[in-house]
């Protein structure tokens, strides 16, 4: 599968149970910017749409290793479509 940008990639993969680091690395296999994927995920964290067991590490510019969790995936994905 190919993705036109990092947002499209996350819309299709954010619920996969992968960590931010795994999503970032996988995005690079599709020739997308892994750092931008982490930036988008961080923005969703800041908006309270996502959480993860290792959130503090993301704010230190290091990828978290825990899977992403959301109370409302539909809202998180809707926000991705707006960005």
């Amino acid at each position: 599968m190919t993705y036109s940008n990092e947002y499209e990639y996350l819309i299709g993969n954010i619920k996969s149970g992968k960590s931010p680091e795994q999503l970032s690395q996988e995005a690079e296999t599709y020739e997308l910017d892994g750092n931008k994927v982490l930036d988008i995920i961080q923005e969703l964290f800041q908006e309270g749409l996502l959480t993860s067991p290792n959130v503090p590490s993301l704010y230190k510019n290091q990828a978290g290793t825990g899977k992403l969790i959301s109370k409302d995936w539909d809202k998180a994905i809707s926000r991705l479509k707006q960005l």
Side-chain angles (χ1 to χ4, degrees), residues 43-51:
E43 185 173 339
L44 294 174
F45 274 119
Q46 290 171 338
E47 292 182 18
L49 296 171
L50 296 178
T51 189

Side-chain angles (χ1 to χ4, degrees), residues 7-19:
Y7 297 99
E8 183 181 328
Y9 167 75
L10 281 173
I11 288 166
N13 292 281
I14 200 158
K15 293 170 58 174
S16 65
K18 295 177 182 171
S19 71

Side-chain angles (χ1 to χ4, degrees), residues 18-26 38 41 58 62-66:
K18 295 177 182 171
S19 71
E21 180 180 305
Q22 290 171 316
L23 290 169
S24 171
Q25 291 172 354
E26 185 178 85
L38 290 176
I41 292 170
L58 239 157
Q62 299 173 0
T65 55

Side-chain angles (χ1 to χ4, degrees), residues 1-74:
M1 176 157 210
T2 59
Y3 300 97
S4 61
N5 59 46
E6 292 77 6
Y7 297 99
E8 183 181 328
Y9 167 75
L10 281 173
I11 288 166
N13 292 281
I14 200 158
K15 293 170 58 174
S16 65
K18 295 177 182 171
S19 71
E21 180 180 305
Q22 290 171 316
L23 290 169
S24 171
Q25 291 172 354
E26 185 178 85
E28 290 176 355
T29 67
Y30 294 105
E31 298 183 10
L32 299 172
D33 184 342
N35 288 324
K36 185 170 182 178
V37 167
L38 290 176
D39 289 343
I40 296 165
I41 292 170
Q42 183 171 348
E43 185 173 339
L44 294 174
F45 274 119
Q46 290 171 338
E47 292 182 18
L49 296 171
L50 296 178
T51 189
S52 174
N54 293 332
V55 171
S57 65
L58 239 157
Y59 292 107
K60 296 176 187 168
N61 293 327
Q62 299 173 0
T65 55
K67 72 177 188 174
L68 294 173
I69 302 165
S70 178
K71 291 181 181 176
D72 188 344
W73 283 113
D74 291 336

